[in-house]
Protein backbone atom coordinates (compact mmCIF):
# COMPACT_ATOMS: atom_id res chain seq x y z
CA UNK A 1 0.00 0.00 0.00
CA UNK A 2 1.39 3.32 -1.04
CA UNK A 3 1.31 6.42 1.12
CA UNK A 4 -1.22 7.99 -1.22
CA UNK A 5 -3.62 5.10 -0.74
CA UNK A 6 -3.19 5.20 3.08
CA UNK A 7 -3.98 8.89 3.39
CA UNK A 8 -6.83 8.41 0.96
CA UNK A 9 -8.43 5.85 3.27
CA UNK A 10 -8.00 8.09 6.29
CA UNK A 11 -9.64 10.96 4.48
CA UNK A 12 -12.59 8.84 3.41
CA UNK A 13 -16.08 9.93 4.50
CA UNK A 14 -16.75 6.63 6.30
CA UNK A 15 -13.85 7.02 8.72
CA UNK A 16 -14.62 10.65 9.45
CA UNK A 17 -18.23 9.78 9.98
CA UNK A 18 -17.32 7.29 12.70
CA UNK A 19 -14.99 9.78 14.36
CA UNK A 20 -17.68 12.47 14.41
CA UNK A 21 -20.25 9.98 15.78
CA UNK A 22 -17.92 9.05 18.64
CA UNK A 23 -17.33 12.71 19.50
CA UNK A 24 -21.08 13.37 19.54
CA UNK A 25 -21.67 10.42 21.88
CA UNK A 26 -18.95 11.64 24.24
CA UNK A 27 -20.43 15.15 24.25
CA UNK A 28 -23.90 13.82 24.98
CA UNK A 29 -22.57 11.72 27.83
CA UNK A 30 -20.84 14.73 29.36
CA UNK A 31 -23.98 16.84 29.09
CA UNK A 32 -26.11 14.04 30.53
CA UNK A 33 -23.81 13.52 33.48
CA UNK A 34 -23.71 17.25 34.24
CA UNK A 35 -27.44 17.81 34.19
CA UNK A 36 -28.14 14.44 35.77
CA UNK A 37 -25.95 15.30 38.78
CA UNK A 38 -27.55 18.73 39.07
CA UNK A 39 -30.97 17.12 39.10
CA UNK A 40 -29.94 14.44 41.61
CA UNK A 41 -28.23 16.88 43.98
CA UNK A 42 -30.84 19.62 43.47
CA UNK A 43 -28.19 22.04 42.23
CA UNK A 44 -29.14 25.66 42.79
CA UNK A 45 -32.01 24.64 45.12
CA UNK A 46 -31.87 25.44 48.88
CA UNK A 47 -34.34 25.46 51.76
CA UNK A 48 -34.01 27.61 54.86
CA UNK A 49 -34.21 25.43 57.96
CA UNK A 50 -37.04 26.65 60.22
CA UNK A 51 -36.92 26.85 64.02
CA UNK A 52 -38.59 23.78 65.54
CA UNK A 53 -37.13 23.97 69.07
CA UNK A 54 -39.83 23.68 71.80
CA UNK A 55 -42.32 22.33 69.24
CA UNK A 56 -44.01 18.97 69.72
CA UNK A 57 -42.49 16.18 67.63
CA UNK A 58 -45.60 15.56 65.49
CA UNK A 59 -46.02 19.27 64.77
CA UNK A 60 -42.36 19.67 63.84
CA UNK A 61 -42.46 16.59 61.60
CA UNK A 62 -45.45 17.95 59.66
CA UNK A 63 -43.78 21.33 59.20
CA UNK A 64 -40.54 19.85 57.87
CA UNK A 65 -42.42 17.44 55.63
CA UNK A 66 -44.14 20.38 53.93
CA UNK A 67 -40.70 21.85 53.15
CA UNK A 68 -39.34 18.56 51.84
CA UNK A 69 -37.10 17.91 54.83
CA UNK A 70 -36.81 14.74 56.91
CA UNK A 71 -37.00 14.70 60.72
CA UNK A 72 -34.94 12.11 62.63
CA UNK A 73 -34.61 11.68 66.42
CA UNK A 74 -30.91 11.33 67.26
CA UNK A 75 -31.01 11.67 71.06
CA UNK A 76 -33.23 12.20 74.10
CA UNK A 77 -32.90 14.55 77.05
CA UNK A 78 -34.93 15.64 80.03
CA UNK A 79 -36.18 19.09 81.02
CA UNK A 80 -38.64 18.94 83.90
CA UNK A 81 -40.50 22.11 82.88
CA UNK A 82 -41.18 20.97 79.30
CA UNK A 83 -43.73 18.38 78.11
CA UNK A 84 -42.68 14.97 76.77
CA UNK A 85 -41.78 14.69 73.04
CA UNK A 86 -40.86 18.37 72.94
CA UNK A 87 -37.94 19.30 70.64
CA UNK A 88 -34.95 20.36 72.75
CA UNK A 89 -32.26 20.78 70.07
CA UNK A 90 -32.00 20.64 66.29
CA UNK A 91 -29.15 20.15 63.80
CA UNK A 92 -28.74 22.05 61.46
CA UNK A 93 -29.89 25.07 63.44
CA UNK A 94 -32.46 27.63 62.37
CA UNK A 95 -31.53 29.72 59.31
CA UNK A 96 -29.15 27.25 57.66
CA UNK A 97 -29.72 26.55 53.95
CA UNK A 98 -29.99 22.89 52.97
CA UNK A 99 -31.10 20.90 49.96
CA UNK A 100 -34.40 19.09 49.65
CA UNK A 101 -34.71 15.77 51.52
CA UNK A 102 -31.99 16.89 53.93
CA UNK A 103 -32.15 15.19 57.34
CA UNK A 104 -32.80 17.38 60.41
CA UNK A 105 -31.56 15.64 63.57
CA UNK A 106 -33.36 16.54 66.81
CA UNK A 107 -33.17 15.82 70.55
CA UNK A 108 -36.58 15.22 72.15
CA UNK A 109 -37.65 15.56 75.76
CA UNK A 110 -38.15 12.30 77.67
CA UNK A 111 -41.28 11.59 79.73
CA UNK A 112 -39.21 10.94 82.86
CA UNK A 113 -35.74 11.71 84.11
CA UNK A 114 -33.07 9.20 83.10
CA UNK A 115 -31.76 7.00 85.92
CA UNK A 116 -28.17 6.51 86.97
CA UNK A 117 -26.76 3.50 88.79
CA UNK A 118 -25.22 4.38 92.16
CA UNK A 119 -21.63 3.04 92.38
CA UNK A 120 -20.17 1.32 95.43
CA UNK A 121 -19.04 4.40 97.37
CA UNK A 122 -20.74 3.98 100.75
CA UNK A 123 -18.17 3.20 103.45
CA UNK A 124 -15.63 3.06 100.66
CA UNK A 125 -13.98 6.47 100.41
CA UNK A 126 -13.61 10.04 101.62
CA UNK A 127 -16.10 12.83 101.00
CA UNK A 128 -13.82 14.57 98.51
CA UNK A 129 -13.26 11.45 96.42
CA UNK A 130 -16.89 10.32 96.43
CA UNK A 131 -18.40 13.74 95.72
CA UNK A 132 -16.06 14.27 92.75
CA UNK A 133 -16.90 10.84 91.33
CA UNK A 134 -20.67 11.28 91.67
CA UNK A 135 -20.61 14.77 90.16
CA UNK A 136 -18.62 13.54 87.14
CA UNK A 137 -21.23 10.80 86.60
CA UNK A 138 -24.02 13.38 86.42
CA UNK A 139 -25.51 13.09 89.92
CA UNK A 140 -26.83 16.20 91.66
CA UNK A 141 -25.41 16.67 95.15
CA UNK A 142 -27.12 18.47 98.02
CA UNK A 143 -25.60 19.73 101.23
CA UNK A 144 -23.79 16.91 103.11
CA UNK A 145 -25.15 15.64 106.41
CA UNK A 146 -22.55 15.32 109.17
CA UNK A 147 -22.94 12.47 111.63
CA UNK A 148 -20.73 11.03 114.40
CA UNK A 149 -17.89 9.11 112.82
CA UNK A 150 -14.41 9.30 111.35
CA UNK A 151 -13.76 12.68 109.77
CA UNK A 152 -14.73 12.98 106.05
CA UNK A 153 -15.60 9.26 105.77
CA UNK A 154 -18.76 8.29 103.85
CA UNK A 155 -21.30 6.40 105.97
CA UNK A 156 -24.41 6.59 103.79
CA UNK A 157 -26.35 8.38 101.03
CA UNK A 158 -29.92 9.66 101.25
CA UNK A 159 -32.37 10.38 98.43
CA UNK A 160 -35.59 12.11 99.48
CA UNK A 161 -34.82 11.11 103.08
CA UNK A 162 -34.43 7.42 102.21
CA UNK A 163 -31.17 5.49 102.39
CA UNK A 164 -29.95 4.03 99.09
CA UNK A 165 -27.40 1.32 98.39
CA UNK A 166 -24.88 0.52 95.66
CA UNK A 167 -26.60 -0.63 92.46
CA UNK A 168 -29.81 1.35 93.03
CA UNK A 169 -31.08 3.28 89.98
CA UNK A 170 -31.60 6.91 90.96
CA UNK A 171 -33.31 9.64 88.87
CA UNK A 172 -30.73 12.00 87.41
CA UNK A 173 -32.52 15.08 88.75
CA UNK A 174 -32.74 13.75 92.34
CA UNK A 175 -30.41 15.31 94.92
CA UNK A 176 -28.06 13.03 96.83
CA UNK A 177 -27.36 13.87 100.48
CA UNK A 178 -24.06 12.32 101.55
CA UNK A 179 -23.70 11.34 105.21
CA UNK A 180 -20.18 12.32 106.28
CA UNK A 181 -18.34 11.65 109.54
CA UNK A 182 -17.77 14.78 111.62
CA UNK A 183 -14.63 13.52 113.36
CA UNK A 184 -16.16 12.87 116.77
CA UNK A 185 -14.72 9.35 116.81
CA UNK A 186 -11.81 7.65 115.08
CA UNK A 187 -11.66 4.49 113.04
CA UNK A 188 -10.15 2.61 116.01
CA UNK A 189 -13.17 3.27 118.19
CA UNK A 190 -15.53 0.38 118.84
CA UNK A 191 -19.14 0.17 119.86
CA UNK A 192 -18.39 -1.72 123.11
CA UNK A 193 -20.67 -1.10 126.07
CA UNK A 194 -19.43 1.49 128.57
CA UNK A 195 -18.69 -0.11 131.91
CA UNK A 196 -20.33 2.77 133.74
CA UNK A 197 -23.60 2.05 131.91
CA UNK A 198 -23.71 -1.64 132.82
CA UNK A 199 -26.64 -2.69 134.96
CA UNK A 200 -25.78 -3.28 138.60
CA UNK A 201 -27.50 -6.10 140.34
CA UNK A 202 -28.24 -6.04 144.09
CA UNK A 203 -27.32 -9.02 146.15
CA UNK A 204 -30.43 -10.70 147.49
CA UNK A 205 -30.03 -11.90 151.07
CA UNK A 206 -31.62 -15.20 151.82
CA UNK A 207 -34.00 -15.11 154.81
CA UNK A 208 -32.99 -16.79 158.06
CA UNK A 209 -34.85 -20.04 158.82
CA UNK A 210 -35.35 -21.48 162.37
CA UNK A 211 -35.97 -25.20 162.75
CA UNK A 212 -37.61 -26.96 165.74
CA UNK A 213 -36.26 -30.39 166.61
CA UNK A 214 -38.95 -33.09 166.89
CA UNK A 215 -38.29 -36.40 168.62
CA UNK A 216 -39.49 -39.37 166.52
CA UNK A 217 -40.02 -42.75 168.27
CA UNK A 218 -38.18 -45.73 166.76
CA UNK A 219 -38.11 -49.46 167.50
CA UNK A 220 -35.13 -51.57 168.40
CA UNK A 221 -34.18 -51.91 164.72
CA UNK A 222 -34.13 -48.14 164.26
CA UNK A 223 -37.35 -48.00 162.22
CA UNK A 224 -39.76 -45.13 162.80
CA UNK A 225 -42.83 -46.03 164.81
CA UNK A 226 -45.89 -44.57 163.14
CA UNK A 227 -48.37 -43.03 165.57
CA UNK A 228 -51.55 -41.06 165.22
CA UNK A 229 -50.00 -38.00 166.87
CA UNK A 230 -49.75 -34.99 164.55
CA UNK A 231 -46.27 -34.29 163.15
CA UNK A 232 -44.87 -30.92 163.89
CA UNK A 233 -43.65 -29.14 160.73
CA UNK A 234 -40.58 -26.96 161.01
CA UNK A 235 -41.61 -23.36 161.31
CA UNK A 236 -40.07 -20.71 159.14
CA UNK A 237 -39.46 -17.36 160.68
CA UNK A 238 -40.04 -14.63 158.11
CA UNK A 239 -37.85 -11.65 158.57
CA UNK A 240 -39.76 -8.61 159.76
CA UNK A 241 -39.34 -5.10 158.48
CA UNK A 242 -37.50 -4.20 161.67
CA UNK A 243 -34.91 -6.93 160.98
CA UNK A 244 -33.77 -5.32 157.71
CA UNK A 245 -30.51 -3.43 157.96
Amino acid sequence: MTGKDFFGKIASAYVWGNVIAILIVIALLCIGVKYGLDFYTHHGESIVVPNIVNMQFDEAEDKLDELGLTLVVSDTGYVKTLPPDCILEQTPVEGKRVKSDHVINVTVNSASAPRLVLPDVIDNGSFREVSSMLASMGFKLGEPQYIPGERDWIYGILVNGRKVAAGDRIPKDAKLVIQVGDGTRSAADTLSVNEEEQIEYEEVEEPDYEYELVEVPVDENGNEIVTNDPVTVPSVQQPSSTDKP
Side-chain angles (χ1 to χ4, degrees):
M1 178 183 294
T2 63
K4 184 178 180 180
D5 294 336
F6 176 75
F7 286 109
K9 287 184 178 181
I10 294 178
S12 65
Y14 177 77
V15 174
W16 281 108
N18 288 335
V19 172
I20 293 172
I22 292 172
L23 292 176
I24 291 173
V25 171
I26 293 174
L28 290 175
L29 286 174
C30 292
I31 294 172
V33 169
K34 179 181 182 302
Y35 286 102
L37 288 176
D38 290 344
F39 177 79
Y40 180 76
T41 59
H42 302 281
H43 181 69
E45 176 188 353
S46 64
I47 301 172
V48 178
V49 177
N51 181 25
I52 57 174
V53 175
N54 293 336
M55 294 177 62
Q56 287 297 111
F57 180 83
D58 293 340
E59 182 183 356
E61 189 176 34
D62 292 340
K63 185 173 184 177
L64 294 182
D65 188 57
E66 292 175 358
L67 297 174
L69 301 175
T70 304
L71 182 63
V72 174
V73 177
S74 60
D75 199 2
T76 59
Y78 180 72
V79 178
K80 191 174 182 178
T81 56
L82 295 177
D85 293 334
C86 177
I87 305 297
L88 301 178
E89 297 177 0
Q90 67 177 85
T91 305
V93 297
E94 173 192 9
K96 290 287 186 179
R97 287 187 171 273
V98 296
K99 297 182 183 300
S100 179
D101 293 332
H102 192 84
V103 174
I104 308 298
N105 294 290
V106 296
T107 300
V108 298
N109 195 32
S110 177
S112 59
R115 293 179 175 269
L116 302 175
V117 178
L118 184 69
D120 185 14
V121 295
I122 299 174
D123 202 21
N124 197 23
S126 67
F127 176 69
R128 183 177 180 180
E129 297 170 344
V130 172
S131 59
S132 298
M133 178 190 298
L134 295 178
S136 65
M137 295 177 63
F139 288 99
K140 290 185 178 181
L141 304 180
E143 290 294 324
Q145 181 184 91
Y146 289 92
I147 62 174
E150 183 183 355
R151 182 177 297 278
D152 290 336
W153 191 251
I154 302 300
Y155 288 95
I157 296 179
L158 303 177
V159 176
N160 297 326
R162 182 180 62 88
K163 279 197 172 185
V164 294
D168 289 350
R169 301 183 66 86
I170 301 172
K172 191 176 181 180
D173 61 340
K175 282 189 176 181
L176 274 62
V177 177
I178 302 177
Q179 293 181 315
V180 189
D182 59 5
T184 55
R185 65 180 175 88
S186 65
D189 291 339
T190 61
L191 298 178
S192 60
V193 180
N194 192 326
E195 294 181 359
E196 296 180 357
E197 296 179 354
Q198 291 182 352
I199 301 175
E200 296 182 357
Y201 294 93
E202 290 186 6
E203 290 188 8
V204 180
E205 296 183 359
E206 295 187 3
D208 295 332
Y209 293 95
E210 291 186 1
Y211 297 92
E212 180 181 353
L213 296 178
V214 178
E215 185 177 351
V216 178
V218 295
D219 58 14
E220 58 182 8
N221 295 323
N223 296 324
E224 179 182 353
I225 300 175
V226 179
T227 63
N228 293 330
D229 296 336
V231 178
T232 304
V233 179
S235 61
V236 178
Q237 181 181 358
Q238 299 292 339
S240 62
S241 58
T242 57
D243 294 335
K244 292 185 178 179

